[in-house]
């Protein structure tokens, strides 16, 4: 425990120092490139929401609902995930999406939104493989020396990490065995959400194509962010940033992977730019994206869904579920 607390302290100090470097470097930022980067990120969110909309439309072909509301639910969740840990914004997306589709159910909506993870998983594997092949991305055995407490903890305690993974797998298997009947019932209620997978052409055109386009715009966004901070704006460097974010998503113990991204990016670009510039970028890119997506998400929440806060969404969802249970 003392070692873990010390590591958390190191992560906090490294982050605050890098944040200071970012605010000190604001005068030197290329604001034009920053604006283009945020615009590209907005297009990325647009393509992502379109893929989700197509999956939901296949699941509910007889219901009428608009892409605008699915986009609003997606950006609201993305913005919230930047400031709360463990992907809590996904709950908001689920609530808002279900409220946007007449006669929908949570299991079906959840399954439809999950379909996007198939293509994303393939892309993440390709990105991580490319990143490790460059020779500058930290190897798993090097995680123990990073300033991020979560990665450092797993890197310094491989036996515990293996034990934790094994325990989770065993618990999952036992749960499946005990609840096999309920899982079968659950599957019958959720398979509707996977309807687009039964139509390969529609899946490729309606999901894979917009998702791939989204990944391209996300990479373009980070190329312009690298340019804004004066670091080499190359395709390879943009992919390395994406790889750092993929790894940060695996250990979502902090909002937006704070600490993980910063620790990885400092190591990745330590030989290609001055230390203070890399530190400013490692935190600055995350602050810029978080502020942009949070503002966009809150605007969607107010304008499209007529809510005044994220907390109000959860309260309203609980009220509706209680009413449904009573009925």
């Amino acid at each position: 425990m003392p070692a873990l607390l010390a590591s958390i302290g190191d992560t906090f100090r490294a982050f605050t120092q890098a944040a200071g470097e970012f605010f000190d470097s604001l005068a030197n930022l290329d604001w034009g490139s920053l604006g283009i980067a945020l615009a590209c990120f907005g297009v990325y969110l647009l393509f992502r929401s379109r893929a989700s909309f197509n999956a939901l439309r296949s699941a509910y072909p007889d219901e009428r609902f608009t892409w605008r509301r699915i986009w609003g639910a997606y950006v609201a969740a993305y913005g919230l995930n930047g400031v709360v840990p463990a992907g809590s914004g996904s709950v908001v997306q689920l609530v808002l999406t279900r409220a946007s589709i007449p006669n929908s159910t949570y299991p079906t909506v959840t399954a439809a939104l999950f379909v996007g993870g198939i293509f994303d998983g393939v892309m993440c594997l390709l990105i991580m493989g490319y990143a490790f092949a460059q020779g500058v991305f930290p190897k798993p055995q090097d995680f123990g020396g990073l300033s991020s407490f979560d990665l450092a903890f797993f890197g310094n305690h491989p036996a515990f990490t293996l034990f934790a993974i094994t325990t989770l797998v065993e618990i999952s298997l036992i749960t499946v065995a005990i609840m096999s009947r309920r899982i079968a019932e659950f599957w019958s209620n959720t398979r509707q959400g996977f309807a687009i997978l039964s139509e390969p052409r529609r899946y490729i055109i309606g999901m894979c194509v917009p998702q791939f386009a989204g990944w391209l715009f996300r990479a373009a966004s980070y190329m312009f962010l690298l340019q804004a901070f004066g670091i080499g704006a190359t395709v390879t460097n943009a992919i390395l940033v994406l790889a750092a974010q993929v790894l940060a998503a695996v250990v979502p113990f902090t909002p937006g992977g704070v600490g993980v991204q910063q620790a990885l990016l400092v190591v990745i670009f330590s030989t290609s730019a001055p230390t203070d510039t890399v530190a400013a970028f490692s935190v600055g890119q995350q602050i810029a994206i978080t502020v942009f997506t949070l503002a966009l998400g809150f605007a969607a929440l107010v304008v499209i869904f007529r809510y005044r806060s994220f907390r109000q969404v959860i309260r309203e969802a609980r009220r509706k579920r209680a009413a449904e249970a009573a009925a």
Side-chain angles (χ1 to χ4, degrees):
M1 183 59 70
L4 178 60
L5 293 177
S7 182
I8 293 175
D10 291 341
T11 300
F12 179 75
R13 283 191 294 272
F15 178 81
T16 53
Q17 182 178 355
E21 297 285 356
F22 164 64
F23 289 112
D24 290 340
S25 67
L26 286 177
N28 300 320
L29 275 180
D30 182 345
W31 291 93
S33 296
L34 179 61
I36 297 173
L38 295 179
C40 287
F41 204 87
V43 176
Y44 156 71
L45 297 175
L46 200 68
F47 276 113
R48 298 282 302 179
S49 67
R50 184 65 193 186
S52 297
F53 173 76
N54 290 335
L56 291 162
R57 190 169 56 179
S58 291
Y60 292 103
D62 299 325
E63 303 295 342
R64 298 186 63 182
F65 55 98
T66 63
W67 177 19
R68 183 174 71 109
R69 293 181 67 87
I70 305 305
W71 170 84
Y74 184 82
V75 297
Y78 202 104
L80 188 58
N81 278 335
V83 293
V84 295
S88 302
S90 300
V91 176
V92 171
Q93 181 186 13
L94 183 60
V95 170
L96 293 176
T97 302
R98 194 221 170 184
S100 301
I101 305 174
N103 302 311
S104 61
T105 63
Y106 282 118
T108 302
V109 171
T110 301
L113 296 177
F114 176 80
V115 172
I118 299 174
F119 184 82
D120 285 341
V122 174
M123 289 297 298
C124 288
L125 289 175
L126 293 175
I127 288 171
M128 293 303 298
Y130 181 85
F132 282 123
Q134 301 309 301
V136 295
F137 200 88
K139 302 295 189 296
Q141 59 267 29
D142 300 325
F143 290 168
L146 298 178
S147 60
S148 173
F149 77 91
D150 31 20
L151 282 181
F153 179 81
F154 290 123
N156 288 323
H157 301 84
F160 174 81
T161 302
L162 181 61
F163 170 76
I165 294 174
T166 303
T167 302
L168 288 175
V169 172
E170 290 178 350
I171 292 175
S172 299
L173 292 175
I174 293 173
T175 302
V176 169
I178 294 176
M179 303 182 63
S180 57
R181 183 177 178 181
R182 293 188 179 183
I183 289 174
E185 295 174 355
F186 179 78
W187 171 250
S188 68
N189 292 327
T190 59
R191 59 186 177 186
Q192 181 181 350
F194 296 102
I196 197 170
L197 294 177
S198 63
E199 305 174 78
R201 186 174 181 275
R202 190 172 188 178
Y203 171 67
I204 292 173
I205 296 176
M207 291 208 70
C208 295
V209 170
Q211 282 185 276
F212 183 69
W215 277 100
L216 291 179
F217 273 95
R218 185 177 177 182
S221 175
Y222 286 105
M223 283 185 65
F224 282 105
L225 280 169
L226 287 164
Q227 182 172 314
F229 282 87
I231 302 176
T234 65
V235 173
T236 294
N237 284 348
I239 294 176
L240 291 174
V241 175
L242 291 178
Q245 294 184 341
V246 168
L247 192 55
V250 176
V251 283
F253 301 115
T254 55
V258 169
V260 176
Q261 289 190 51
Q262 188 254 333
L264 291 171
L265 293 174
V266 167
V267 174
I268 291 169
F269 298 116
S270 60
T271 59
S272 58
T275 303
D276 56 345
T277 301
V278 176
F281 170 76
S282 67
V283 171
Q285 56 85 22
Q286 195 167 4
I287 291 176
I289 293 296
T290 299
V291 170
F292 172 71
T293 55
L294 188 61
L296 195 64
F298 186 75
L301 202 68
V302 174
V303 175
I304 298 177
F305 298 102
R306 307 300 180 185
Y307 288 113
R308 291 176 293 179
S309 69
F310 290 102
R311 190 172 298 176
Q312 186 182 359
V313 178
I314 303 301
R315 287 201 301 265
E316 183 67 14
R318 289 173 178 169
R319 186 191 66 78
K320 288 183 179 179
R321 293 199 70 176
E324 290 174 359

